[in-house]
């Protein structure tokens, strides 16, 4: 099964749709879809499938941008576009700042509300971490919830291409108007533990979400590496 089909299957599961439901919304027979699951979705059908899922065709093909629970691509604003320098050595990466989360004013209404300019990152650095330039983000860490791994004021390089959650990785996600950065750990029963690395402060409590609810989280990016720290 190719990655495109896996993405569609994961979305169907998160919405509690069957393949028959998708076929009905597309106006096709279930048998026609079964052929796609064996041979791949024809290029002529990409636009139609993306429209039914409320996705961009780019997300259907590559998973290049995270989606909300409804499947709508949230990172489609010009502010969040990366541009490669004319010398082909660096790219201008959008910066997202946790300081703009709820508690510093009104809760964010969209991903663009976290935008805080751009930062030049070398293409070789992105390539070393398998990040496509259009998927790269710099995230400013605020607070000490992820100490000692990440400190307040750190800047990290993150990848918005998140085809699936991986246990023990750190993810940035939006919840209730706040941009959060936490570690995700998969438990034996399939649920996910979302936790802070700072175990010294009782204010940072762990959260456990079911596998289904984890799929509903608006995951923005996987944190890949520390790129800046003020000492």
């Amino acid at each position: 099964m190719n990655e495109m089909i896996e993405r569609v299957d994961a979305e169907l599961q998160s919405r509690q749709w069957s393949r028959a439901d998708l076929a009905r919304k597309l106006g096709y027979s279930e048998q026609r879809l079964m052929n796609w699951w064996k041979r791949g979705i024809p290029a002529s059908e990409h636009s139609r499938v993306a429209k039914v899922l409320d996705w961009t065709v780019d997300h259907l093909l590559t998973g290049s941008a995270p989606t909300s629970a409804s499947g709508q691509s949230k990172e489609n604003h010009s502010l969040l576009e990366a541009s490669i320098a004319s010398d082909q050595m660096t790219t201008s990466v959008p910066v997202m700042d946790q300081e703009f989360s709820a508690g510093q004013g009104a809760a964010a209404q969209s991903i663009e509300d976290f935008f805080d300019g751009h930062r030049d990152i070398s293409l070789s650095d992105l390539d070393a971490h398998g990040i496509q330039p259009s998927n790269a983000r710099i995230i400013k860490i605020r607070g000490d919830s992820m100490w000692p791994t990440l400190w307040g004021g750190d800047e990290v390089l993150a990848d918005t291409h998140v085809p699936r959650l991986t246990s023990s990785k750190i993810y940035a996600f939006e919840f209730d108007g706040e941009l959060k950065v936490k570690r995700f750990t998969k438990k034996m029963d399939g649920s996910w533990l979302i936790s802070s690395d700072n175990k010294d402060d009782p204010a940072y409590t762990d959260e456990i979400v079911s596998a289904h609810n984890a799929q509903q989280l608006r995951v923005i990016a996987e944190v890949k590496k520390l790129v800046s720290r003020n000492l």
Side-chain angles (χ1 to χ4, degrees), residues 142-158:
R142 301 296 182 180
D144 62 353
S145 70
M146 290 302 292
W147 181 89
T149 308
L150 301 174
W151 303 356
D154 282 352
E155 294 184 353
V156 296
L157 178 63

mmCIF file of all heavy atoms in Angstrom, residues 142-158:
data_model
loop_
_atom_site.group_PDB
_atom_site.id
_atom_site.type_symbol
_atom_site.label_atom_id
_atom_site.label_comp_id
_atom_site.label_asym_id
_atom_site.label_seq_id
_atom_site.Cartn_x
_atom_site.Cartn_y
_atom_site.Cartn_z
ATOM 1 N N ARG A 142 8.894 28.773 24.382
ATOM 2 C CA ARG A 142 8.660 29.674 25.514
ATOM 3 C C ARG A 142 8.386 28.836 26.761
ATOM 4 O O ARG A 142 7.705 27.815 26.698
ATOM 5 C CB ARG A 142 7.466 30.580 25.233
ATOM 6 C CG ARG A 142 7.612 31.441 23.977
ATOM 7 C CD ARG A 142 8.749 32.424 24.071
ATOM 8 N NE ARG A 142 8.849 33.272 22.882
ATOM 9 C CZ ARG A 142 9.758 34.218 22.710
ATOM 10 N NH1 ARG A 142 10.650 34.446 23.658
ATOM 11 N NH2 ARG A 142 9.774 34.930 21.610
ATOM 12 N N GLY A 143 8.907 29.269 27.897
ATOM 13 C CA GLY A 143 8.685 28.547 29.143
ATOM 14 C C GLY A 143 9.653 27.391 29.315
ATOM 15 O O GLY A 143 10.523 27.135 28.472
ATOM 16 N N ASP A 144 9.492 26.660 30.433
ATOM 17 C CA ASP A 144 10.445 25.599 30.768
ATOM 18 C C ASP A 144 9.792 24.222 30.838
ATOM 19 O O ASP A 144 10.326 23.313 31.456
ATOM 20 C CB ASP A 144 11.138 25.911 32.097
ATOM 21 C CG ASP A 144 10.153 25.974 33.271
ATOM 22 O OD1 ASP A 144 8.926 25.909 33.038
ATOM 23 O OD2 ASP A 144 10.627 26.097 34.421
ATOM 24 N N SER A 145 8.651 24.053 30.184
ATOM 25 C CA SER A 145 7.948 22.764 30.279
ATOM 26 C C SER A 145 8.740 21.624 29.646
ATOM 27 O O SER A 145 8.571 20.472 30.029
ATOM 28 C CB SER A 145 6.563 22.851 29.635
ATOM 29 O OG SER A 145 6.653 22.973 28.234
ATOM 30 N N MET A 146 9.615 21.934 28.674
ATOM 31 C CA MET A 146 10.390 20.881 28.016
ATOM 32 C C MET A 146 11.847 20.861 28.479
ATOM 33 O O MET A 146 12.691 20.205 27.869
ATOM 34 C CB MET A 146 10.318 21.045 26.500
ATOM 35 C CG MET A 146 8.950 20.729 25.919
ATOM 36 S SD MET A 146 8.381 19.048 26.295
ATOM 37 C CE MET A 146 9.535 18.079 25.319
ATOM 38 N N TRP A 147 12.139 21.593 29.560
ATOM 39 C CA TRP A 147 13.484 21.556 30.144
ATOM 40 C C TRP A 147 13.727 20.152 30.720
ATOM 41 O O TRP A 147 12.808 19.519 31.237
ATOM 42 C CB TRP A 147 13.571 22.612 31.255
ATOM 43 C CG TRP A 147 14.914 22.672 31.916
ATOM 44 C CD1 TRP A 147 15.975 23.430 31.549
ATOM 45 C CD2 TRP A 147 15.327 21.931 33.070
ATOM 46 N NE1 TRP A 147 17.025 23.215 32.400
ATOM 47 C CE2 TRP A 147 16.666 22.286 33.347
ATOM 48 C CE3 TRP A 147 14.708 20.990 33.886
ATOM 49 C CZ2 TRP A 147 17.391 21.745 34.394
ATOM 50 C CZ3 TRP A 147 15.427 20.434 34.941
ATOM 51 C CH2 TRP A 147 16.746 20.812 35.186
ATOM 52 N N PRO A 148 14.928 19.589 30.637
ATOM 53 C CA PRO A 148 16.171 20.196 30.144
ATOM 54 C C PRO A 148 16.417 19.989 28.652
ATOM 55 O O PRO A 148 17.441 20.414 28.134
ATOM 56 C CB PRO A 148 17.237 19.455 30.958
ATOM 57 C CG PRO A 148 16.655 18.077 31.121
ATOM 58 C CD PRO A 148 15.167 18.276 31.285
ATOM 59 N N THR A 149 15.485 19.325 27.946
ATOM 60 C CA THR A 149 15.685 19.096 26.515
ATOM 61 C C THR A 149 15.677 20.403 25.745
ATOM 62 O O THR A 149 16.561 20.661 24.925
ATOM 63 C CB THR A 149 14.588 18.162 25.974
ATOM 64 O OG1 THR A 149 14.526 16.981 26.775
ATOM 65 C CG2 THR A 149 14.877 17.772 24.526
ATOM 66 N N LEU A 150 14.662 21.223 26.008
ATOM 67 C CA LEU A 150 14.528 22.512 25.351
ATOM 68 C C LEU A 150 14.361 23.594 26.414
ATOM 69 O O LEU A 150 13.632 23.395 27.383
ATOM 70 C CB LEU A 150 13.318 22.512 24.413
ATOM 71 C CG LEU A 150 13.329 21.470 23.288
ATOM 72 C CD1 LEU A 150 12.001 21.487 22.535
ATOM 73 C CD2 LEU A 150 14.492 21.703 22.334
ATOM 74 N N TRP A 151 15.034 24.707 26.212
ATOM 75 C CA TRP A 151 14.969 25.808 27.157
ATOM 76 C C TRP A 151 14.097 26.922 26.595
ATOM 77 O O TRP A 151 13.950 27.068 25.379
ATOM 78 C CB TRP A 151 16.355 26.388 27.422
ATOM 79 C CG TRP A 151 17.381 25.421 27.917
ATOM 80 C CD1 TRP A 151 17.200 24.097 28.221
ATOM 81 C CD2 TRP A 151 18.760 25.706 28.166
ATOM 82 N NE1 TRP A 151 18.373 23.541 28.641
ATOM 83 C CE2 TRP A 151 19.356 24.503 28.625
ATOM 84 C CE3 TRP A 151 19.544 26.850 28.057
ATOM 85 C CZ2 TRP A 151 20.704 24.420 28.954
ATOM 86 C CZ3 TRP A 151 20.886 26.779 28.389
ATOM 87 C CH2 TRP A 151 21.453 25.571 28.840
ATOM 88 N N GLY A 152 13.540 27.740 27.481
ATOM 89 C CA GLY A 152 12.839 28.927 27.033
ATOM 90 C C GLY A 152 13.779 29.824 26.251
ATOM 91 O O GLY A 152 14.894 30.094 26.689
ATOM 92 N N GLY A 153 13.355 30.271 25.084
ATOM 93 C CA GLY A 153 14.206 31.076 24.206
ATOM 94 C C GLY A 153 14.867 30.280 23.111
ATOM 95 O O GLY A 153 15.411 30.862 22.158
ATOM 96 N N ASP A 154 14.862 28.940 23.223
ATOM 97 C CA ASP A 154 15.421 28.105 22.157
ATOM 98 C C ASP A 154 14.621 28.266 20.871
ATOM 99 O O ASP A 154 13.414 28.550 20.891
ATOM 100 C CB ASP A 154 15.388 26.621 22.548
ATOM 101 C CG ASP A 154 16.495 26.235 23.515
ATOM 102 O OD1 ASP A 154 17.381 27.074 23.773
ATOM 103 O OD2 ASP A 154 16.454 25.100 24.022
ATOM 104 N N GLU A 155 15.296 28.046 19.762
ATOM 105 C CA GLU A 155 14.621 27.949 18.471
ATOM 106 C C GLU A 155 14.923 26.569 17.902
ATOM 107 O O GLU A 155 16.075 26.128 17.905
ATOM 108 C CB GLU A 155 15.096 29.041 17.517
ATOM 109 C CG GLU A 155 14.697 30.439 17.988
ATOM 110 C CD GLU A 155 15.074 31.529 16.998
ATOM 111 O OE1 GLU A 155 15.764 31.209 16.000
ATOM 112 O OE2 GLU A 155 14.682 32.683 17.214
ATOM 113 N N VAL A 156 13.874 25.891 17.445
ATOM 114 C CA VAL A 156 14.043 24.538 16.925
ATOM 115 C C VAL A 156 13.575 24.469 15.483
ATOM 116 O O VAL A 156 12.676 25.199 15.054
ATOM 117 C CB VAL A 156 13.269 23.505 17.780
ATOM 118 C CG1 VAL A 156 13.836 23.463 19.194
ATOM 119 C CG2 VAL A 156 11.774 23.804 17.817
ATOM 120 N N LEU A 157 14.193 23.565 14.738
ATOM 121 C CA LEU A 157 13.802 23.294 13.358
ATOM 122 C C LEU A 157 12.768 22.175 13.373
ATOM 123 O O LEU A 157 12.964 21.148 14.034
ATOM 124 C CB LEU A 157 15.028 22.878 12.545
ATOM 125 C CG LEU A 157 14.788 22.498 11.079
ATOM 126 C CD1 LEU A 157 14.251 23.693 10.291
ATOM 127 C CD2 LEU A 157 16.093 21.985 10.459
ATOM 128 N N ALA A 158 11.667 22.379 12.667
ATOM 129 C CA ALA A 158 10.584 21.398 12.671
ATOM 130 C C ALA A 158 10.107 21.121 11.252
ATOM 131 O O ALA A 158 10.309 21.926 10.336
ATOM 132 C CB ALA A 158 9.423 21.893 13.528
#
